[in-house]
Each structure stands twice: as C-alpha cells, then as structure tokens.
Amino acid sequence: MGNVVLPSAPAMAEQVTDIPAMYGNQFNGTDFTSRTISIPVSIYCADNQDRFNQIMHNLSGLLLSDDPSDNGKEYPLVFGFEPKVTYWGHITAISDPAPINTGMYDMTLTITFVQSDPRATLPQVEKPLNNGLNTITVSGTAKTEPVIQIIPKRALKHIGFTLNGGQYGIGPETPEDQASAVQPYTDVVRDPIASMAMWTNDPSATSVMKTSDNPIYQGSCEINSSSTVMIVANKSGKKDYGKLPSVANDTWYGPAYRYTGMTQSLNDWRVLTSLYHLKYSGQHNGRAMARCELLLLNANGEMIARFGILDLGGGKKPLIRLQLCEPGSHMEKGDGKHRNLYYDYGPSGAFKNKKDKYVRIKTINNNARKFITLINREESDSISDGVFVLDMIKKGQVFTWSITQYNTKTDQPYTDSRKHLVVSGTFVDRKNQFNSPLGGVGAVFLKFPIAEDHNKINYKEPFMSLPNLRIWQVNKVAPGDTTYIANAGQEIVLNCETNSTTVGGKLVSPVWSTDYPKLRPGVNSLSMIGDLDDAQMTLKYIPRLL
C-alpha cells in the first residue's frame, strides 16, 4: 500500500433555487453524500509473470465476491496508521495495473473505496446506567445513536429517557394513566435453567408425557458448565443418550425430563421459551439426526402442545415444529387430533445445498470385509445453527404465537425473514378442540441411530439446549385498560440506531417521543425515567468521526 491521503470531507452539493427578480438565490441546504478513499497499491514481481498473475488473482479474490447475497454489504477498512478507527464502505473500482518499469511486472494500481455513510467509527462503548441523571462523555466529532438495554427487577408501567432536549419512551406518560395500569400477565414460572433441581427424569413422571414416534426415554441431562442451559449430559466423554438400540429396532431415544415447579393449571396462559440447535458439517457429522422438544402438558402429564427442532435423515436440512394436540395424542399424521401452527424449514433465502457426497463405511463383520455406501446431502438452512425463541399465548379460544431467531453473537433478534426464521400467526380454536388447561412442562433431547453408530464411526452429534422457561397466567383486561409494558426480567431495548423498540424480543412502538435522540460529542446529560432503581441498565454506543 502506498501513501493514503484521507479526504477532508464527503462529497457536497449545495441545493439552491433561482427565484426571478431576486438578488442572489435561495439557499436550501447542502447535501453531504459519500466519501471516497483512494488506496494506491504497488506490486513488485520483476520479470516473474506467473507470480504477478497469482498476486492479482489473490487480490481479486480478497476484494470481490460472486455471491449474490453479498450485494449491498459494506465492509470495515482499518489502516495501520489509525488502528482504532474503522471506515465502513464498499469497493467501487480497481484500476488496471500500470507498469512502473517498461517490460517488467512491477505495477501500480488504485483501489477505490466508497463510504455510503461518510462517518468513521471508534470502538463501541458500553456503560452501566443509573436511574435518574447520568453524565455521558462521548469521544469523536459526530453525533451518535444510543442503544439502551434494560432488564427490570419488577413489572414496569412505563420507561424512557430524556437526552439533549429529546425524549423517548414507552408506556403511559401521565401519572393518572400509570396509576390505573393493570398487569396483563401474572408470573407463574420463571426458570433460567440454572439448575436441574426442578426437573425429574423419574419414569413415573415422564412415562405418560409421550411424544411422536414412541421414543425410548433413557440417559440424562445436566446444566452446561459455561452457561445456564440444559444439555445432554456428558458421560465418559460421550453424550448420555443411553443404550443404543439394535439395528432391527432403530428408534428415537434419549433423556426426557418433566418440570416439577408448576403447582397450578392455567386456562389462559403465556409461554416464553427457546431452543438452541447446532448441526455440525462434515461427511459423518452432516448425517447426524437429533431432536429437541419442549412439551406443554396437562395436569396428568399428557402432551397438549409441542415446540421442537428435528433433523432429517441423509443430511437433509432440519425443520421446526409448533403444534397443538388433544391430550394424549402422539401427533400421528391424519389423526385429526392435532393442528400444525408451524411445520416447516427456514426461509428459502437461508437454504444451502452442498454437492451430495457418498460416504463409505466399513461394516462390522468378522467373516468378510464389507462396505456400505451412504449419502450425505450436507443441506443446511437457518435452523441448522441458531437460537429460536417461542412466545405463545392462549386467551380463550385464540392462540397467538411467534418464533424468532436470535443472533448467537449479539443476543439480538433477527428481523430479516428472508434469511432468518421470523414468523408469527394466530389460530382460533372455534371447536374448543385444544382447550385443555396447561398443567406442566416436559423437555426431551433425542437422537436417531445412523449407520455410523452401529459401525462405531466417530462423529459430532448436534448440539441442543434448553436455555430458559417462562410461564404466565393471562389476566382479563378490558379493551380500554392501560396495561403494564414489561414483566420482571423481560429485556427491553430502546434502540436509536435502528429506530426500533423491543420488549422481550418483540417489536413495540414508542408512545412518547420527540424523535430518537442522539448523543453529541462531549458531555451529555441522559436521564432514565421509570421504576428502575434496581434494574440492570446498559448504554451502548459507537463514537463517530466526521
């Protein structure tokens, strides 16, 4: 790389209107558009044409992409002379090489990098907030957008903040409306899955909670040592699914647990839970078949609904299921006793299909050397790797539900339904077929034997976990009632960067707002408003440079 001279400003264009008989013209403002950075590059290969060609191919491979899904993306550019500053943009041109010495392969060229947002960024800042006034000193030379994450310790009627003359909040603003607010939900179960103390795998408790395909319940679960999630236990270096069935009796098998912390049955209820599923790639790993399900039960322990992720045979892409059923139903096809609310794969934009591979496995046989040849399709979609949050409400005959995929790195919900699973729906149970009260919960983690199991070929089984469980009683709320905006422990995100507000991962609209306020360079006064004295609050922002 040669000497890079950063431009002093983005491209500008004044907007004026020529008015007849007016002295001068009317100024309507200045458009600030993109900023262009020219990067000179020199390549020294003397008389070695092959080396020069290889360098050019490598350079093109680094800077260009033939993947249509990369269109519209911008990438970070960091210079060694300014290591804490990131320029986000895209490449618009790579000039043809020009020779430095005639007849030699010493060349120069220029890479043109354009920032659609001409501001550069400094590293993200995270700062805890207190209720009331907070003084925030912001680096950089440009305004930036705050993102505030709140996890309250009690149910909230309203919440918001004021900043630099702007205000942004949700919930009733006046004291009169706040005083009359009613809670739409009452806490029944709030289990972060930090312990197995409230879960039992005793056959007397789990035998009645049958799911489809009549699996064998055996093996055990534990809490992941690095996080509070339930996973299949590790036993002697292997996952404890229990005894492998014989070839002639292949069936689903693995641990099943029933929750013991629910002491009442609910006619109207809300369940919030999530499942994490990760399928590994590879000629044997891709063929692995696992299945995790959260079962909603009646007071007798019979299944009345399930939410689950299912791997299919031969390396096909997995699918996700959300279903209602009559008590005791096993979800048999065409039985008329269950209803699919969602039974599908991820969005088509996330589907990837590698070339089918033939997997050769030596069979266990002492008399002859035999091999079998199997197919690994190596298909994947959004469900192959992700956290999927179910929010399901039953109120009278109406079931409303959503399944939202979360980013496993940022813990934030995805919003693009073309690439990630973001679905919702409503079902009216007009015949009261699925009106059985909710009286309990079960969880199963199953696997299905593949040829590799019977022939002792090692492979990585899919990772599955149950990260959390929340259950509420749904209260009766009149149409004109003002309701609480969030329950205790429910994450609220006030996001001025994306102009969005989420409560428990679901989008809501701000009620009182002048705009989405911004932080200024220098000292800012930010005041949090609401019943937040013991809430966990974090401000995140990215300082920006003009």
Side-chain angles (χ1 to χ4, degrees):
M1 186 181 76
N3 185 28
V4 175
V5 179
L6 296 173
S8 56
M12 293 180 279
E14 64 170 345
Q15 299 297 320
V16 296
T17 302
D18 185 14
I19 299 177
M22 177 181 176
Y23 183 78
N25 53 32
Q26 178 175 307
F27 175 59
N28 299 318
T30 301
D31 288 341
F32 295 89
T33 58
S34 59
R35 176 159 63 173
T36 300
I37 301 174
S38 296
I39 305 170
V41 175
S42 298
I43 300 170
Y44 295 97
C45 294
D47 60 351
N48 191 333
Q49 182 178 10
D50 289 341
R51 183 165 177 263
F52 174 78
N53 291 340
Q54 187 60 53
I55 288 174
M56 290 301 298
H57 288 313
N58 292 343
L59 185 63
S60 297
L62 289 169
L63 300 179
L64 306 177
S65 173
D66 59 357
D67 187 343
S69 65
D70 289 338
N71 290 336
K73 288 183 180 179
E74 294 203 310
Y75 297 91
L77 173 64
V78 179
F79 293 106
F81 56 76
E82 212 174 25
K84 292 186 177 181
V85 179
T86 302
Y87 299 87
W88 289 88
H90 55 281
I91 292 170
T92 60
I94 304 172
S95 68
D96 291 336
I100 299 173
N101 301 311
T102 304
M104 304 296 283
Y105 289 94
D106 298 333
M107 304 283 181
T108 63
L109 55 85
T110 300
I111 299 170
T112 304
F113 185 83
V114 176
Q115 294 179 266
S116 55
D117 181 342
R119 298 172 298 174
T121 63
L122 294 169
Q124 178 176 286
V125 175
E126 293 191 18
K127 178 180 175 63
L129 294 176
N130 303 314
N131 196 15
L133 179 63
N134 296 265
T135 301
I136 312 297
T137 302
V138 177
S139 302
T141 58
K143 293 180 181 179
T144 189
E145 301 81 8
V147 177
I148 299 177
Q149 178 192 49
I150 305 106
I151 301 178
K153 293 295 178 68
R154 59 182 62 85
L156 293 180
K157 299 177 181 179
H158 77 293
I159 188 175
F161 67 91
T162 61
L163 172 65
N164 294 329
Q167 57 182 358
Y168 168 23
I170 55 175
E173 187 176 5
T174 66
E176 294 79 12
D177 287 339
Q178 292 169 16
S180 63
V182 296
Q183 285 189 267
Y185 309 109
T186 301
D187 264 314
V188 175
V189 171
R190 186 178 172 187
D191 193 337
I193 319 293
S195 165
M196 295 295 296
M198 303 301 291
W199 297 83
T200 179
N201 61 349
D202 190 296
S204 63
T206 61
S207 60
V208 70
M209 59 177 214
K210 291 297 184 182
T211 182
S212 61
D213 302 314
N214 196 29
I216 299 172
Y217 291 161
Q218 58 182 19
S220 61
C221 285
E222 64 184 6
I223 301 302
N224 191 324
S225 58
S226 61
S227 60
T228 56
V229 299
M230 185 192 301
I231 61 173
V232 179
N234 217 320
K235 190 174 181 181
S236 301
K238 293 187 177 182
K239 293 183 179 180
D240 184 20
Y241 286 101
K243 184 180 178 182
L244 176 69
S246 65
V247 177
N249 298 300
D250 274 353
T251 187
W252 291 98
Y253 69 103
Y257 282 77
R258 187 169 167 182
Y259 188 70
T260 62
M262 190 169 174
T263 58
Q264 64 186 106
S265 292
L266 307 173
N267 290 317
D268 292 331
W269 44 265
R270 178 183 180 187
V271 172
L272 181 72
T273 191
S274 53
L275 296 174
Y276 180 28
H277 175 258
L278 169 61
K279 190 178 178 73
Y280 298 98
S281 62
Q283 65 174 359
H284 298 295
N285 303 335
R287 291 174 23 80
M289 296 172 62
R291 168 179 156 193
C292 53
E293 296 175 353
L294 183 94
L295 310 180
L296 302 186
L297 314 172
N298 63 12
N300 296 327
E302 298 171 303
M303 181 172 62
I304 61 172
R306 76 169 168 188
F307 170 53
I309 298 172
L310 172 68
D311 287 319
L312 301 177
K316 295 178 183 177
K317 59 182 178 178
L319 57 80
I320 201 162
R321 305 184 286 196
L322 176 63
Q323 300 164 297
L324 303 174
C325 68
E326 297 178 11
S329 168
H330 293 173
M331 307 286 188
E332 295 175 0
K333 188 175 181 179
D335 65 0
K337 296 182 179 181
H338 75 276
R339 171 149 187 132
N340 296 333
L341 300 182
Y342 187 82
Y343 193 111
D344 210 339
Y345 309 95
S348 57
F351 174 64
K352 294 181 180 179
N353 184 13
K354 293 184 180 179
K355 185 177 180 180
D356 290 356
K357 292 183 178 179
Y358 292 93
V359 181
R360 199 178 189 211
I361 296 177
K362 181 180 178 181
T363 60
I364 299 174
N365 191 314
N366 295 327
N367 298 322
R369 187 181 183 190
K370 294 184 178 180
F371 292 87
I372 56 174
T373 301
L374 304 165
I375 290 180
N376 175 22
R377 301 185 186 281
E378 201 69 69
E379 297 177 356
S380 64
D381 61 9
S382 63
I383 304 170
S384 300
D385 180 9
V387 173
F388 303 91
V389 175
L390 169 69
D391 192 347
M392 186 174 181
I393 300 172
K394 177 190 178 294
K395 190 171 184 179
Q397 295 175 288
V398 180
F399 292 84
T400 56
W401 58 273
S402 66
I403 302 174
T404 305
Q405 184 176 1
Y406 271 60
N407 187 315
T408 56
K409 295 180 180 178
T410 66
D411 294 327
Q412 295 300 309
Y414 287 111
T415 56
D416 188 348
S417 60
R418 296 169 302 175
K419 296 181 179 179
H420 303 99
L421 189 64
V422 183
V423 292
S424 60
T426 300
F427 167 64
V428 181
D429 182 20
R430 301 188 187 279
K431 298 180 180 179
N432 280 326
Q433 185 180 6
F434 310 111
N435 198 33
S436 180
L438 175 65
V441 173
V444 298
F445 298 87
L446 309 173
K447 69 170 288 184
F448 195 87
I450 57 177
E452 284 84 344
D453 291 299
H454 295 301
N455 293 285
K456 302 190 183 306
I457 304 294
N458 289 328
Y459 65 93
K460 293 183 73 172
E461 296 156 333
F463 178 83
M464 304 178 291
S465 71
L466 175 67
N468 67 308
L469 176 63
R470 296 291 307 276
I471 300 175
W472 296 269
Q473 174 182 293
V474 176
N475 300 322
K476 293 183 178 180
V477 179
D481 288 343
T482 300
T483 60
Y484 281 60
I485 60 166
N487 294 295
Q490 198 169 24
E491 182 190 56
I492 304 165
V493 179
L494 308 176
N495 194 327
C496 294
E497 187 172 19
T498 60
N499 292 352
S500 65
T501 310
T502 59
V503 177
K506 299 182 72 172
L507 287 170
V508 299
S509 298
V511 174
W512 42 283
S513 174
T514 54
D515 204 342
Y516 292 92
K518 295 185 178 182
L519 292 163
R520 298 169 180 164
V523 178
N524 297 259
S525 295
L526 186 155
S527 292
M528 295 301 301
I529 301 168
D531 190 2
L532 300 168
D533 285 343
D534 53 0
Q536 177 185 321
M537 296 183 286
T538 305
L539 166 68
K540 302 178 183 180
Y541 65 91
I542 299 174
R544 300 183 186 277
L545 296 170
L546 292 173

